[in-house]
Each structure stands twice: as C-alpha cells, then as structure tokens.
Amino acid sequence: MIMNTKKIKIYAVMVVATFFAFTSCLNDLNTVPLDDEVTTSAIVYDNPAAYRQVLAKCYAGLATTGQEGPAGMGDVGGIDEGFSSYLRGYWNLQELSTEEAITGWGDDGLTDIHEQIWSSNNDFVKGLYYRIFYQIAITNELIRESTVAKLDNRKVPESDRPAIDVYRAEARFLRAMSYWHALDMFGTVPFVTEDDGVGSFMPEPIEPANLFTFIESELMEIEPIMADPMSNEYGRADRAAVWMLLSKLYLNAETYIATEKYTEAATYAKKVIDAGYELDPTYGNLFLADNHTAQGIVFAVAFDGVNTKTWGGTTFIIDGAIGGTMEPSDYGVQENWGGHRTTSAFVEKFPQYASEKSATIAPYKSVADYPILYCPGSYQGWDAANTSTVVYSRNSDNTFEGYLYFAADGEKFKFDTYGDWSLNYGDNEPADGILEVEGIDILVAEAGFYKVNVDLNTMAYSLTKTDWGIIGDATADGWDADQNMTFDGVDAWNAEVKLSVGTIKFRANDDWAINLGDTDANGILTQEGADIQITEPGKYLVSLFLMGADYTYSLEKASSDERAMFYTDGQTLDIAMVSDFSNGWAVTKFRNITSDGTPGSDPVHADTDFPVFRLADAYLTYAEAALRGGGDLTLALEYVNKVRTRAYTDNSGNISSGELTLDFIIDERARELYWECHRRTDLVRFGLLTGDDYIWPWKGGVMEGIGTDSKYNIFPIPASDVIANPNLEATPGY
C-alpha cells in the first residue's frame, strides 16, 4: 500500500494520544507528539477517508519508524530510530538468537542475542518490546474510533461503512499479530484493548493462556469480515492471513499453554493451501525487488525505496549482509554494512555442504602395485622421479597405459624407466611414434588430456587427446548422445547429471573406440567393461579418475537445492572472530534487484517486500502438525514434496514417507524459511533453542558453542517497565 506522507504525519498525531494509557510500557522509549495543531479524534475523523489513512499508519508501523523517512520525527524516542523498526527488531531477536544468523556489529547488547546472554536491560529487547506495544496502541485507536456508535455519532454515510468495517477487522488482525509476537517472545505481558480509555494508568498483565484465547477469539471473529484470499490490495491482510496466523498460533499452542492443538493447526494451514495460492516456480523470486509479483506470498510487509524509506526493514537485511569482497551493486544497493552472516550449523543443513555426504559409489582406493614408466617433462618441471605423472603396466608385460594432462600448448616430455634419467626414451626427428634411447623430447603441440600407450617390446607409443562423457539409457539422451564431463585441471573429470534407473558407461570423444565400464561392479573401470547400474533416480555428481593405477569413478547423489544462497569468496565457513565479516558465509537471499535483473527504484532504500506468511510455510506447518498427530501423513508428504520439487526444480529432492520425520521438518523449515523470522520460534517448539541438545558456533558465547539456560526460551519484560508498573513482575530468571 502506497501512503501519502503528509496525511500519515497528521493522522499519527491522533494515535499518539493513546500512549498516555501506556505509561509503564513506554518509560524509556517515549512517544513523540508530532503536530500541536491537531490533537482530537473528532477533528481527525471528520473526513470518512481518514479511517483508511489511519489503517495505512497501522500497516506502516510494521515498516517505517516515524513520520519522515528514513529518519526524523520518530514514533518512539530513547533509541536510534533505525534500530526502532518493528521488522528490524523482530529480525534481530528471531534470527540472531539462532544458528541462522550472526552479526559482526558491536552495538552494546547485540552480540548478547546470538550468545544467549541477554538481560532485562538489553536495548534491542527493549526496542522490540516497545515497538510491539506502540503497534498495539495505534491499532487500538482505529478499533476504538470505528465502532458503530462512533460512526453513528459522526453521521458516517452507510455507503462508507462496509469499507470501514473491513479496515477495523484488519486493524484487529494487526493487533492480534502483535499480541502473538508478544506472547511468543515475552510470555506474560501488559494487556490493553480498545475498551481501555485513553489516559494514564498501569496496565494489568495477562497470562499466556488468556492472551492465547484473546488472540484466537479475535481472529475467529474477524475471519468472515476480512477480504477473500488474494482479493485485497497487495500489502493488506485478508482471510488467508487470518488462517495462517491461526495455524501458527495452534502449532505452538503446546509451548504457549501446554495444550496440543495440532489438528487445528493442520485445519487452518489447509485452508490457506486450498485458497488458490501457488508456489512461485523460482524460489529466489520471493525475495527480490519485484516480489509483489511473486506467487505464494500470503501476507507481506511492503516496502518502496522512494515512498517508504527506512533504515530498518529489508534495507537493513540486504545492506547488513553485504561486506568483504561483495559488490553492493550486485544486490541493487550502494552500501555495504558488513554485519550479518550465517554459521556452519546452518550451511550444513544443505546436502551439498554437509560434512558427511552420501555416495552411491565411492571412489575406489587402488592398492595395486603395477610396474610404472615415468613421464617427466616441461609440464611438470622435468621431475624424473615424480610418481604422479606415470603410466602403468597393468599386465606386467612391458606395455604401459595411462593418462597425462598438459595444461599448455607446446609442452615436451620423455619416458624414463627408473626415474633417474639413466634410461630414458624420446622420439627422434622426424617423429614417427617409435622411441629411441636418449631420443629427442616428444612434443605435445596442443594442450589437453591425453591417453598414453607405450610398448617397450616394440618401442612404439601413441598419444590420443580425449574429452570424456557419460552415455547410457539412464541419461537424458539415452545411448544417442554423451553428457559431457569437465576436467578439474588436477585429476578428475566431473559432471552433475540427472540419472534415471538404468545403465551408463564412460566414453571418450563421443566415440566407442575408448569406452569404460565396471564388469565386476567393484569401482574399477576397464575397456569395454560392463554397463554401470543406476538403481536410484536423481541428480548425481559423477567423477571419473583416470590418472591412478586403476581407472575408478564415483557416483554421489548430488543436491541441487537452489535455496542455498551463499557468498563464499574470501569467506571462511568457521567463525573465529565474530567481528570479522569474512568469518562465516554471507547470505544473498534478499536483493534489491527485480526478477529481470533491474535494480530497485532507489539504491539506498530497498523495494523488496518482506514475506511474513507464505504458502510453503503452510505446507510445512501442515506436515509438522500431521507428524504430531493432527493431519493426514499422505497429504503431508505430498505437500513437503511440492516444496522440495520447487527447491530442486524437479523431483530429485523428493523424500519418501520413511524420511518424513520431525527431525527432517525442523531442518526443512530452516532450508525453506531462513532469515524470515521463524527460526527462534521453531527451535523453541522443538526444544532446541536452549540447552545442549543442539549446539552451534558461538551459542553461549563460546566459539564451538555450549548449552544455555532454558530461561532464554523467552525474552524478559524490560526492567524499566517492571519498575514503572507495580502490576508487573520480572520475567522468571531475569
């Protein structure tokens, strides 16, 4: 929703009046009146269009920080305005407290979040707490001022009332979402609704069970009033957003109120799934500057680089993740803040980066001790004793075969029997393929990978340049064409290919003259050997090793999970120094570039919207609820594999029913939803955020990670608020 800045400034004044009812909640971070000339709701609501403008301010509360972007006339005082952004604060607490994110910024209290050593005086905890209650206050105001009685009193035309009813329902949704954040992150909190009059008083706390019931009942009541799924303006909530919030409330009910509600979680997740949303075919499109056109976003916080300038939001996420050798323009921005990275614990959730990879056929480790013939030359420094550049007599019959790699044109070499030049062979001019003792150096005119054959019985030799490929009915082109392989410049030919159940062979130069198979199925290849069996379909990393004593190969089930978006150039995976951006891999998921490669409208402030709820989350929510006893496991597997098919661009990443476990789900949620403010809540639900069952780098303030106190499953009500309001008690443990 694009908002008129001037009108937002005026109508926010009326909202500020409500904060006298939040004396305790805004002790350190005081709200700032904006316009002395406009002070009463009676004046503000003279124009029925004002209700829409105030609703705009309610949505803007999730994105902006004040009345003048990107800073100036902030909504709350006592904190750097950029830090006070709702989304920025929520991201800090939801992501930095987990293995998904770590920051190099040294702001007082920020590193405490990742280390799980925060206190009730932590400024970043306070910042989000006060922002949540600011948001609750401004939504309360619209709800309070849009009752039937007040509309009657103001003689609002009947023709305007249906729209105002929807605005009011949306404000109740936004309030319910903020109260859900408060419940999820703080537990017992102060409670104020539109029924509390405007004025100074000390709010009473509400227990989690009662707050849970309030959120649930609010969402149930507004459900029929909200716009149909996908029928509202982009950036405004609809009925599907209500269903999504209900599903997340129910999924975490056991954490909040010690009562399972997994059937309800599955029910409302399925309502979202059945609403007509589709997964965008390209995962990365969901996090670009034109992601308002991407499929599968149920509700988003909208940003516009020209009209909603802020130092929070996705500008913070994108710029904060750029540093080291990264070029900001590659991400559609001009600043690199050098802060956020991720840890090895998260990176290794992607199979291609896992410390232990499964292989269908591992490389055979040859122990053969065949006679050798040395091949010293300019290509390896004329080192006659170098055993890595030799050919082998596999039948011990004075005939030798092997492969040599010449990286440049015009290299020269010779053969040497003992590796000491005492008996060496060359080919005198004119070169005729016949060796002579102490003959002239053999010229290799063209760089390449050569098959070398030598027969010292006849003194004949040959060099055949080769390029290698994979062929067979298990490949996409069957026996008609090779799948080309690439030489790594050291010792292996590699290719990542999709294979079906069937057979393959290796052959050189798209011809059958040189072809290798595995007759004994032992990993050793021989000329004209038997076809190699592929028993499981999928994408494979296929490697061919021809420079050893035996010709060998490996078939490794390859992951092509396109959700793994990392920048690694100049970055170390391990984090020895948190303050050094080069320690830890950078995350490139969010960008201020459109799907066609065009930079966003402003290089300083991002256009990229933040997806709060997505269809993929509904799929995974249903699956988890089903695994916990609340849904259909067959349907759950179907939903999970929809997510996996999009991630892998085909069904090669699909899982079986036996692989669908809760352990799989918590990792899959990380792979799909990282940096989208879900991780802390997920880890708490699985009992993995604190304690020592799950450790990641710098958890507990130690490089290797250590267990932490369970009190860190929630954040504390700020000490300043507890002191100011005698009705509140300190959060247990703080």
Side-chain angles (χ1 to χ4, degrees):
M1 181 186 296
I2 304 301
M3 297 160 285
N4 183 295
T5 305
K6 183 176 181 181
K7 290 182 179 178
I8 292 170
K9 187 183 300 184
I10 293 173
Y11 289 108
V13 176
M14 168 274 299
V15 173
V16 169
T18 65
F19 290 118
F20 292 107
F22 272 82
T23 303
S24 71
C25 292
L26 299 167
N27 186 47
D28 283 356
L29 304 179
N30 298 305
T31 57
V32 183
L34 304 177
D35 192 331
D36 293 335
E37 296 179 3
V38 183
T39 58
T40 67
S41 59
I43 296 173
V44 169
Y45 289 102
D46 274 347
N47 183 353
Y51 297 94
R52 178 181 172 86
Q53 292 298 332
V54 177
L55 178 66
K57 175 60 181 179
C58 293
Y59 281 105
L62 300 174
T64 61
T65 55
Q67 313 310 307
E68 294 181 355
M73 303 184 75
D75 293 326
V76 294
I79 188 172
D80 178 279
E81 189 175 334
F83 290 171
S84 76
S85 159
Y86 197 121
L87 180 56
R88 180 169 178 167
Y90 191 51
W91 193 94
N92 279 334
L93 269 57
Q94 285 286 81
E95 294 295 342
L96 292 180
S97 60
T98 76
E99 85 281 36
E100 285 188 355
I102 192 169
T103 187
W105 297 333
D107 302 276
D108 188 28
L110 190 57
T111 56
D112 294 351
I113 305 301
H114 188 81
E115 295 178 3
Q116 294 189 8
I117 57 172
W118 58 76
S119 73
S120 59
N121 291 310
N122 185 283
D123 285 340
F124 293 91
V125 174
K126 287 193 291 184
L128 179 61
Y129 176 85
Y130 292 131
R131 176 56 73 172
I132 286 173
F133 283 99
Y134 176 89
Q135 184 71 5
I136 289 169
I138 61 177
T139 52
N140 273 341
E141 179 64 17
L142 178 55
I143 297 165
R144 182 184 295 114
E145 294 296 332
S146 55
T147 62
V148 172
K150 291 204 174 186
L151 296 181
D152 288 343
N153 185 58
R154 295 177 185 131
K155 296 181 173 54
V156 174
E158 288 295 329
S159 59
D160 291 328
R161 295 197 182 197
I164 294 173
D165 288 343
V166 175
Y167 299 159
R168 190 171 194 266
E170 289 179 41
R172 291 173 71 183
F173 167 81
L174 293 172
R175 181 179 65 179
M177 187 171 71
S178 286
Y179 265 129
W180 172 57
H181 292 159
L183 171 65
D184 182 73
M185 307 187 83
F186 295 96
T188 301
V189 294
F191 184 66
V192 177
T193 71
E194 76 279 10
D195 294 329
D196 296 293
V198 177
S200 180
F201 73 99
M202 300 298 179
E204 294 284 345
I206 185 170
E207 292 299 316
N210 293 331
L211 184 53
F212 183 99
T213 299
F214 171 79
I215 298 168
E216 179 185 33
S217 62
E218 281 287 284
L219 295 172
M220 292 293 191
E221 287 180 18
I222 67 173
E223 178 188 1
I225 307 171
M226 298 287 282
D228 290 336
M230 296 181 285
S231 68
N232 212 345
E233 292 175 280
Y234 178 82
R236 288 174 58 187
D238 58 22
R239 197 170 301 136
V242 172
W243 296 333
M244 195 74 213
L245 183 50
L246 277 167
S247 74
K248 298 187 82 66
L249 183 71
Y250 290 134
L251 187 65
N252 292 283
E254 191 170 8
T255 299
Y256 303 150
I257 61 174
T259 301
E260 295 183 2
K261 290 187 178 289
Y262 298 118
T263 298
E264 293 89 338
T267 297
Y268 281 94
K270 194 169 188 306
K271 283 179 176 286
V272 177
I273 293 166
D274 293 342
Y277 294 95
E278 296 182 1
L279 291 175
D280 195 287
T282 303
Y283 178 76
N285 286 348
L286 294 158
F287 315 102
L288 298 177
D290 59 347
N291 59 349
H292 61 284
T293 66
Q295 300 179 70
I297 295 179
V298 177
F299 177 59
V301 178
F303 290 95
D304 183 291
V306 174
N307 296 291
T308 51
K309 295 181 184 294
T310 174
W311 297 120
T314 51
T315 295
F316 154 79
I317 295 172
I318 295 168
D319 288 3
I322 300 172
T325 62
M326 301 172 75
E327 177 55 54
S329 61
D330 291 342
Y331 307 93
V333 296
Q334 64 184 31
E335 298 185 10
N336 56 332
W337 296 0
H340 317 317
R341 295 94 71 203
T342 193
T343 72
S344 57
F346 172 66
V347 170
E348 291 186 355
K349 295 191 185 304
F350 293 94
Q352 61 263 52
Y353 301 120
S355 56
E356 295 182 4
K357 299 180 182 179
S358 61
T360 303
I361 298 179
Y364 175 78
K365 301 298 184 183
S366 177
V367 295
D369 186 21
Y370 305 126
I372 61 175
L373 183 64
Y374 297 91
C375 306
S378 59
Y379 71 104
Q380 47 90 287
W382 293 105
D383 180 4
N386 189 335
T387 55
S388 68
T389 48
V390 297
V391 290
Y392 298 87
S393 180
R394 292 176 177 83
N395 296 317
S396 300
D397 58 358
N398 231 21
T399 63
F400 299 83
E401 181 180 292
Y403 287 83
L404 300 177
Y405 176 60
F406 302 95
D409 295 343
E411 298 283 11
K412 296 180 178 182
F413 79 104
K414 301 184 76 172
F415 296 106
D416 188 274
T417 299
Y418 302 114
D420 59 6
W421 295 108
S422 61
L423 181 57
N424 65 82
Y425 309 93
D427 188 356
N428 291 332
E429 295 181 350
D432 57 2
I434 300 298
L435 297 173
E436 292 89 16
V437 175
E438 301 285 349
I440 294 174
D441 299 342
I442 300 168
L443 174 67
V444 183
E446 185 179 0
F449 189 84
Y450 284 81
K451 179 175 182 286
V452 180
N453 289 92
V454 180
D455 185 348
L456 291 184
N457 300 302
T458 64
M459 302 303 288
Y461 76 98
S462 65
L463 302 177
T464 305
K465 185 180 178 183
T466 62
D467 289 290
W468 284 86
I470 306 161
I471 195 168
D473 57 18
T475 70
D477 295 320
W479 294 103
D480 296 325
D482 292 79
Q483 309 297 307
N484 293 331
M485 306 183 78
T486 302
F487 187 60
D488 66 3
V490 181
D491 65 351
W493 287 85
N494 300 301
E496 188 172 282
V497 295
K498 182 179 178 181
L499 299 176
S500 58
V501 173
T503 60
I504 62 169
K505 295 191 81 172
F506 299 96
R507 69 176 188 170
N509 303 331
D510 300 316
D511 186 82
W512 289 107
I514 305 174
N515 73 88
L516 301 175
D518 186 355
T519 299
D520 296 322
N522 62 358
I524 298 178
L525 297 168
T526 57
Q527 171 69 12
E528 302 285 355
D531 298 347
I532 299 165
Q533 300 294 318
I534 304 298
T535 58
E536 294 183 14
K539 286 187 177 179
Y540 287 81
L541 175 61
V542 184
S543 298
L544 175 64
F545 307 96
L546 299 176
M547 298 180 73
D550 288 303
Y551 303 146
T552 65
Y553 66 104
S554 68
L555 299 174
E556 184 178 283
K557 206 71 174 288
S559 168
S560 56
D561 192 331
E562 295 190 352
R563 299 171 297 185
M565 298 179 175
F566 303 118
Y567 182 91
T568 61
D569 186 17
Q571 304 293 127
T572 62
L573 183 57
D574 293 330
I575 303 173
M577 185 178 298
V578 175
S579 61
D580 186 345
F581 185 86
S582 68
N583 283 214
W585 284 9
V587 172
T588 61
K589 181 172 178 174
F590 288 87
R591 300 171 184 244
N592 187 34
I593 291 178
T594 66
S595 52
D596 66 4
T598 304
S601 62
D602 186 281
V604 177
H605 301 283
D607 288 338
T608 310
D609 302 328
F610 185 83
V612 177
F613 298 139
R614 294 200 283 112
L615 174 61
D617 189 6
Y619 283 141
L620 296 177
T621 294
Y622 184 93
E624 181 182 339
L627 284 166
R628 295 184 186 274
D632 182 335
L633 286 173
T634 300
L635 198 55
L637 180 64
E638 177 186 332
Y639 290 158
V640 167
N641 280 334
K642 285 178 180 289
V643 176
R644 301 279 289 179
T645 298
R646 194 260 299 277
Y648 284 74
T649 71
D650 57 31
N651 64 2
S652 63
N654 287 12
I655 63 169
S656 66
S657 58
E659 295 172 291
L660 183 59
T661 65
L662 287 174
D663 286 343
F664 170 85
I665 285 292
I666 187 61
D667 286 347
E668 185 67 10
R669 287 187 64 82
R671 288 185 286 263
E672 176 68 27
L673 300 168
Y674 66 99
W675 282 34
E676 295 180 59
C677 296
H678 299 278
R679 190 57 174 170
R680 180 202 143 271
T681 301
D682 290 346
L683 290 178
V684 170
R685 185 172 65 256
F686 278 76
L688 298 174
L689 180 70
T690 60
D692 55 12
D693 287 344
Y694 181 38
I695 301 297
W696 57 82
W698 293 101
K699 177 179 178 179
V702 175
M703 180 179 172
E704 297 78 14
I706 57 173
T708 54
D709 195 308
S710 62
K711 74 177 185 180
Y712 295 113
N713 281 325
I714 60 172
F715 294 98
I717 294 178
S720 54
D721 216 34
V722 175
I723 293 170
N725 185 354
N727 295 325
L728 300 180
E729 296 182 359
T731 304
Y734 293 95

